[in-house]
Amino acid sequence: MKLRKILFSFDGRIGRRTYWLALLALIAAVLVLTFAPFLLGNEEWVFLILALTSQFIWLLSLWPLLAVGSKRLHDRNKNSWWLLVFWLVPFALICGGFSIILFDDARTGRTGDFATGSILIFASLLPALWGIVELGILPGTKGANLYGPDPAHPLA
């Protein structure tokens, strides 16, 4: 499978090795592009460039991350919508946990609740770890499935 199809198409299947290689390449590219302004010098404007470009770079990497995850889920004979469980649920739990810990409720006079917020943050690990196991550790289905031929044996 060509690199363009791996990173930008949502069709087909990829194996664990291709998934991990694509993921590591994307992470490396994002890190290099994010911290490249530091190579320009140590002036104040470099930090402004870093702050502005890092969100843009993250948004650019979102499509390839979704495409690679989608094809990996297809190899497991699962729908791409499972990415919402693996990404959105942990994100929502972490945001909720930190908001409970850090912010006070002026209407009730209640201060941040460390225990409840910590439980939500800890709970975010469960779907995230499940996603790591599902996408990166468990083998794909043998033979062809709803999403295409087996990437390990494309002619079988």
Side-chain angles (χ1 to χ4, degrees):
M1 188 179 286
K2 296 187 187 254
L3 185 61
R4 184 182 310 166
K5 183 169 179 165
I6 291 171
L7 294 178
F8 298 107
S9 170
F10 286 80
D11 296 330
R13 298 166 58 179
I14 59 172
R16 291 174 287 188
R17 180 173 183 250
T18 305
Y19 171 76
W20 282 113
L21 289 173
L23 197 63
L24 289 173
L26 284 168
I27 290 170
V30 166
L31 288 175
V32 166
L33 290 172
T34 299
F35 293 107
F38 282 114
L39 300 175
L40 301 173
N42 57 0
E43 298 177 24
E44 294 84 23
W45 60 271
V46 172
F47 294 104
L48 177 63
I49 291 172
L50 180 65
L52 294 175
T53 58
S54 62
Q55 280 91 28
F56 182 69
I57 292 167
W58 167 248
L59 285 174
L60 284 178
S61 69
L62 192 58
W63 186 276
L65 284 170
L66 288 171
V68 169
S70 174
K71 282 191 283 299
R72 183 65 192 125
L73 281 168
H74 290 170
D75 191 40
R76 299 269 308 127
N77 207 21
K78 294 187 183 292
N79 195 304
S80 300
W81 287 105
W82 278 101
L83 287 174
L84 290 176
V85 174
F86 302 145
W87 284 19
L88 214 54
V89 171
F91 180 75
L93 289 170
I94 287 173
C95 289
F98 277 119
S99 68
I100 289 172
I101 291 172
L102 298 176
F103 299 111
D104 300 334
D105 190 351
R107 293 175 289 153
T108 63
R110 192 170 166 198
T111 59
D113 185 359
F114 183 78
T116 305
S118 298
I119 290 170
L120 285 177
I121 292 169
F122 181 73
S124 72
L125 292 174
L126 297 174
L129 288 173
W130 178 25
I132 291 170
V133 169
E134 189 75 40
L135 293 169
I137 297 173
L138 295 176
T141 56
K142 300 279 187 215
N145 66 17
L146 294 173
Y147 301 100
D150 188 348
H153 304 95
L155 301 176

